[in-house]
Amino acid sequence: MADLSTTIAGVKLPNLLFNASGVCCQTKEDLQLMVESESGSLITKSATFEKREGNPSPRYVPLSNGSINSMGLPNEGYEYYLEYAKNYDYKNSKPLFVSLSGLSLQDNIKMIEAFKAAHLPCVLEINYSCPNLPGKPQLGYDFEGMDHSLSVLAPLIEKPFGIKLPPYFDIAHFDIAASIFNKYENLAFVTCINSVGNGLAIDLETEQALIKPKDGFGGLGGLMVLHTALANVNAFHRRLKGKQVIGVGGVTSGKEAFLHVLAGASAVQIGTTLKEEGPGVFARINKELSDIMTAKGYKSLEDFRGKVKTL
């Protein structure tokens, strides 16, 4: 079997696959399923300072080529995940990532200070990209605001950390974002992409939107966003200096996982397919990816990471 191990932020993962934050990770029971699966790591639900119920249901619907959701950051509050992190068995081969999504800079500061005071080996990821909070624009699209946030949070965190990003669609935006990220040495990785915000799915028979929040507008995920995800992974792989990219978006099989690595991803997260198939997806995709690598003569991820050919 090919070597699927990788390293993110200086931490070794036995394989490159894990859950996208938001799927199979809200409760301790969810996270235990991840521990027991054949994923290489696990990340918590994006935590806000206070517990949130999220948006009204229906707020997630699978589609023929992916999914639409407007979850609204339902989570148990950061103290729940801090307690989980304190009790996590770090002798486990799977490192723990914790996602934080403060609704303000001050909320992020307070949550980071609490994790910092606990002296834990978990890796923090700051979410700059939730498209499903009514009245709250994504900070990832406010370059000045994101730069200011990083100027405060990066020195506070001190250790290597990452950020979750929305999809970008303009070459100039890749350039601007990368120039910001390259300023912060301990910003070790970017995770891209979050769902493609504000799609609209309508049922032909009922002529009704499929989800309730925001008049039916929600984030798109699954196979339909694969090519946008690959573009973002490759754009940041090319532009970031000494940093890594975690690819997420459109992974349904070993084929898409391979393409993410070929585009430059150092690890790959799974969202919609995990939601629909359950944690058994990791064993299947690990095997499919290993088979593809063996057929192509690749022994490790480093043999082909970021080596997509252009015309």
Side-chain angles (χ1 to χ4, degrees):
M1 184 173 180
D3 180 7
L4 303 183
S5 66
T6 190
T7 300
I8 297 290
V11 179
K12 178 129 186 215
L13 284 64
N15 71 69
L16 76 165
L17 301 179
F18 59 118
N19 61 305
S21 179
V23 184
C24 199
C25 59
Q26 181 166 341
T27 67
K28 294 175 183 177
E29 291 75 21
D30 292 335
L31 292 163
Q32 185 58 31
L33 291 175
M34 288 299 305
V35 170
E36 294 170 0
S37 76
E38 291 190 29
S39 71
S41 185
L42 64 158
I43 187 167
T44 66
K45 191 78 173 65
S46 285
T48 49
F49 191 74
E50 303 285 352
K51 179 177 179 177
R52 285 179 57 88
E53 296 300 326
N55 292 337
S57 295
R59 57 190 185 183
Y60 170 88
V61 174
L63 304 173
S64 60
N65 57 347
S67 64
I68 185 168
N69 88 86
S70 183
M71 301 299 292
L73 282 180
N75 72 93
E76 305 302 311
Y78 91 94
E79 289 180 331
Y80 181 94
Y81 303 105
L82 175 58
E83 188 64 22
Y84 178 83
K86 287 179 178 178
N87 292 311
Y88 186 73
D89 181 9
Y90 292 99
K91 295 176 184 175
N92 188 304
S93 63
K94 299 182 183 186
L96 173 66
F97 291 73
V98 175
S99 177
L100 301 179
S101 190
L103 301 183
S104 68
L105 179 57
Q106 283 306 120
D107 280 358
N108 273 330
I109 290 171
K110 288 184 285 188
M111 291 190 291
I112 289 166
E113 286 177 338
F115 273 90
K116 189 174 176 180
H119 300 289
L120 299 171
C122 57
V123 180
L124 297 182
E125 178 185 271
I126 310 302
N127 182 5
Y128 284 149
S129 59
C130 181
N132 300 317
L133 291 177
K136 279 280 185 183
Q138 299 182 67
L139 192 59
Y141 289 139
D142 175 0
F143 294 116
E144 185 177 338
M146 185 165 55
D147 192 9
H148 174 65
S149 175
L150 285 169
S151 74
V152 174
L153 301 184
L156 179 63
I157 295 171
E158 293 186 287
K159 299 194 303 181
F161 75 103
I163 56 176
K164 179 77 170 282
L165 297 173
Y168 298 107
F169 301 95
D170 194 302
I171 297 297
H173 291 165
F174 291 129
D175 292 339
I176 295 168
S179 69
I180 292 169
F181 305 151
N182 281 325
K183 290 162 58 176
Y184 302 99
E185 187 173 350
N186 64 320
L187 174 54
F189 65 91
V190 299
T191 301
C192 53
I193 57 174
N194 206 337
S195 57
V196 176
N198 297 309
L200 178 64
I202 304 172
D203 182 80
L204 175 64
E205 297 302 320
T206 65
E207 302 178 12
Q208 188 174 53
L210 293 182
I211 60 173
K212 183 173 183 178
K214 296 169 55 184
D215 296 323
F217 283 63
L220 302 175
L223 191 58
M224 72 174 88
V225 307
L226 172 65
H227 303 293
T228 297
L230 293 176
N232 277 256
V233 168
N234 189 246
F236 285 116
H237 172 73
R238 291 173 182 271
R239 287 166 173 79
L240 297 181
K241 302 171 184 176
K243 303 183 188 304
Q244 297 174 291
V245 181
I246 297 178
V248 54
V251 178
T252 67
S253 70
K255 172 187 171 182
E256 294 84 26
F258 180 89
L259 294 177
H260 268 277
V261 177
L262 190 65
S266 292
V268 174
Q269 295 179 349
I270 303 174
T272 297
T273 303
L274 171 59
K275 172 77 172 174
E276 294 303 310
E277 189 173 327
V281 70
F282 296 108
R284 174 177 68 80
I285 294 181
N286 273 327
K287 182 180 185 307
E288 291 171 353
L289 174 58
S290 178
D291 288 347
I292 290 170
M293 290 170 59
T294 299
K296 287 178 170 287
Y298 296 131
K299 295 180 180 179
S300 73
L301 301 176
E302 290 301 323
D303 290 345
F304 65 99
R305 178 178 289 120
K307 296 180 180 178
V308 59
K309 301 171 186 175
T310 56
L311 299 178

